[in-house]
């Protein structure tokens, strides 16, 4: 260890809520599948700062090969003491949707874009209806943000729309101020180690980044080699494929860019290859070398 290096100070992550507020955040869960029932709902329920305001799912009886014992929406409504809705549109026509603090999106990958757009439009509506007293809407989107590059660009552009205040050319409130926070759930980015690494890079004490080596693996052949797992292995909508890259490999890319900084690793050339399951056609392993515009590389 270098004795002259000081521990980097961790920045407080952005929150649209007043940290001194005594009211609970009203959170709606969109998608009641195996991950929501096994992870998100129990955690939200245990969080003393949260109220589960509603659960949204198009099916009254969610099913999944990954958990054959999923509960119905009626059972979930009783368990978590909240109403249920069968579409996002139905939710947003109700006062619960129009007043929620945040939405957690945990639906099939290919649906993320349309849901994201609808939530951003709701946030924008709130701001345009009452610019001074609007209620921000925060969104936590499960990864991947979208399954189509053009859709990702469009969603980003919607988020970054600016509204200039009258006579003020410096005002750059995001989408008119309606979105409090829009995050993609790459949970490893929010661990203390990742935060510390990010801050250390930002200090410049390690110098310029010249190369990054990273590896990520997870024992999920039981998912990607099973033809019955259609949602995980078959492409939907404008997807070019499906498999490990879409739900898991996106984690490592997000972590690299979070820690190293987007500005330090702008790709100029990419060499890559993936192997696919003989049983399902899903991609199951990947190798890539990326050459960046500043000469840095990562693989």
């Amino acid at each position: 260890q270098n004795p002259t290096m000081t521990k980097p100070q961790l920045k407080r992550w952005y929150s649209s809520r007043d940290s001194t507020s005594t009211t609970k955040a009203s959170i709606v869960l969109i998608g009641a599948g195996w991950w929501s029932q096994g992870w998100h709902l129990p955690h939200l329920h245990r969080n003393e700062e949260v109220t589960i305001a509603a659960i949204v799912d198009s099916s009254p009886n969610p099913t999944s090969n990954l958990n054959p014992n999923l509960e119905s929406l009626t059972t979930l409504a009783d368990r978590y003491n909240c109403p249920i809705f069968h579409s996002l549109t139905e939710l947003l026509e109700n006062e619960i949707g129009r007043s929620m603090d945040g939405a957690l999106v945990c639906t099939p990958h290919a649906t993320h874009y349309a849901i994201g757009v609808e939530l951003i439009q709701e946030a924008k509506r709130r701001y345009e209806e009452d610019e001074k007293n609007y209620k921000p809407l925060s969104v936590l989107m499960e990864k991947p943000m979208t399954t189509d590059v053009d859709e990702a660009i469009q969603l980003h552009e919607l988020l970054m729309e600016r509204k200039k205040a009258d006579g003020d050319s410096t005002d750059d409130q995001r989408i008119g101020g309606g979105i409090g926070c829009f995050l993609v759930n790459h949970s490893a980015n929010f661990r203390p180690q990742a935060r510390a690494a990010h801050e250390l890079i930002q200090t410049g004490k390690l110098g310029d980044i010249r190369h990054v080596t990273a590896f990520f693996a997870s024992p999920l052949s039981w998912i990607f080699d099973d033809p019955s797992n259609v949602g995980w292995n078959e492409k939907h909508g404008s997807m070019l494929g499906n498999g490990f890259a879409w739900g898991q490999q996106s984690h490592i890319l997000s972590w690299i860019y979070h820690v190293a900084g987007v500005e330090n690793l702008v790709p100029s050339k990419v060499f890559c290859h993936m192997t696919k399951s003989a049983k399902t056609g899903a991609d199951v392993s990947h190798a890539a070398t990326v050459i960046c515009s500043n000469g840095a590389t990562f693989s």
Side-chain angles (χ1 to χ4, degrees):
Q1 291 185 342
N2 186 337
T4 64
M5 292 182 64
T6 58
K7 182 178 180 180
Q9 297 299 308
L10 304 185
K11 296 178 181 177
R12 177 180 176 84
W13 299 109
Y14 177 80
S15 171
S16 62
R17 284 172 52 79
D18 182 351
S19 61
T20 63
S21 174
T22 58
T23 60
K24 293 186 176 183
S26 170
I27 305 298
V28 170
L29 180 69
I30 303 173
W34 78 284
W35 190 242
S36 288
Q37 293 197 26
W39 183 260
H40 288 307
L41 281 170
H43 279 283
L44 289 171
H45 184 63
R46 286 193 292 266
N47 191 326
E48 296 180 353
E49 298 183 10
V50 165
T51 295
I52 300 175
I55 297 172
V56 182
D57 200 286
S58 59
S59 172
N61 297 288
T63 60
S64 172
N65 287 348
L66 308 186
N67 180 359
N69 300 312
L70 291 182
E71 296 181 330
S72 68
L73 293 194
T74 301
T75 301
L76 293 175
D78 291 339
R79 180 184 299 279
Y80 296 107
N81 191 30
C82 67
I84 57 175
F85 296 88
H86 295 291
S87 72
L88 179 54
T89 300
E90 180 187 3
L91 170 73
L92 295 178
E93 290 173 349
N94 187 281
E95 181 57 28
I96 292 174
R98 297 170 75 85
S99 62
M100 61 182 169
D101 290 301
L104 198 164
V105 181
C106 189
T107 58
H109 298 161
T111 66
H112 289 181
Y113 169 73
I115 292 173
V117 169
E118 201 165 354
L119 289 171
I120 292 170
Q121 290 173 340
E122 163 61 17
K124 190 173 183 179
R125 178 200 64 78
R126 295 182 182 187
Y127 180 81
E128 292 178 344
E129 190 174 87
D130 188 347
E131 296 186 9
K132 292 184 178 180
N133 302 301
Y134 74 96
K135 188 174 189 178
L137 174 61
S138 295
V139 178
L140 177 62
M141 179 79 76
E142 271 294 352
K143 44 67 185 172
M145 182 177 74
T146 71
T147 55
D148 180 287
V149 173
D150 289 336
E151 289 181 350
I153 293 172
Q154 292 169 26
L155 199 60
H156 180 262
E157 289 177 346
L158 279 174
L159 285 167
M160 300 304 290
E161 280 185 3
R162 301 293 196 259
K163 176 167 181 172
K164 302 296 183 182
D166 293 338
D168 185 356
S169 61
T170 62
D171 186 17
D172 67 344
Q173 298 178 73
R174 294 187 178 181
I175 64 162
I179 280 287
C181 188
F182 191 106
L183 296 174
V184 179
N185 191 26
H186 291 291
S187 51
N189 290 10
F190 297 92
R191 293 171 183 163
Q193 302 95 320
R195 297 186 186 186
H198 169 80
E199 294 294 339
L200 184 60
I201 295 294
Q202 293 298 309
T203 65
K205 292 183 179 295
L206 292 184
D208 296 332
I209 296 176
R210 305 309 304 158
H211 181 69
V212 176
T213 298
F215 175 79
F216 178 90
S218 188
L220 296 177
S221 59
W222 60 281
I223 294 178
F224 299 114
D225 278 341
D226 184 348
S228 66
N229 290 323
V230 174
W232 288 87
N233 298 326
E234 295 184 7
K235 59 184 180 180
H236 305 275
S238 59
M239 294 176 71
L240 296 177
N242 207 345
F244 190 80
W246 303 83
Q248 284 69 45
Q249 202 67 29
S250 53
H251 275 309
I252 193 170
L253 287 172
S254 176
W255 192 91
I256 290 171
Y257 276 105
H258 170 66
V259 170
V262 175
E263 69 282 357
N264 294 322
L265 296 173
V266 179
S268 59
K269 294 181 181 180
V270 178
F271 305 89
C272 56
H273 179 76
M274 65 171 58
T275 56
K276 298 183 178 181
S277 167
K279 297 179 180 179
T280 65
D283 58 81
V284 292
S285 63
H286 319 84
T289 296
V290 181
I291 300 175
C292 302
S293 58
N294 61 357
T297 58
F298 69 89
S299 60

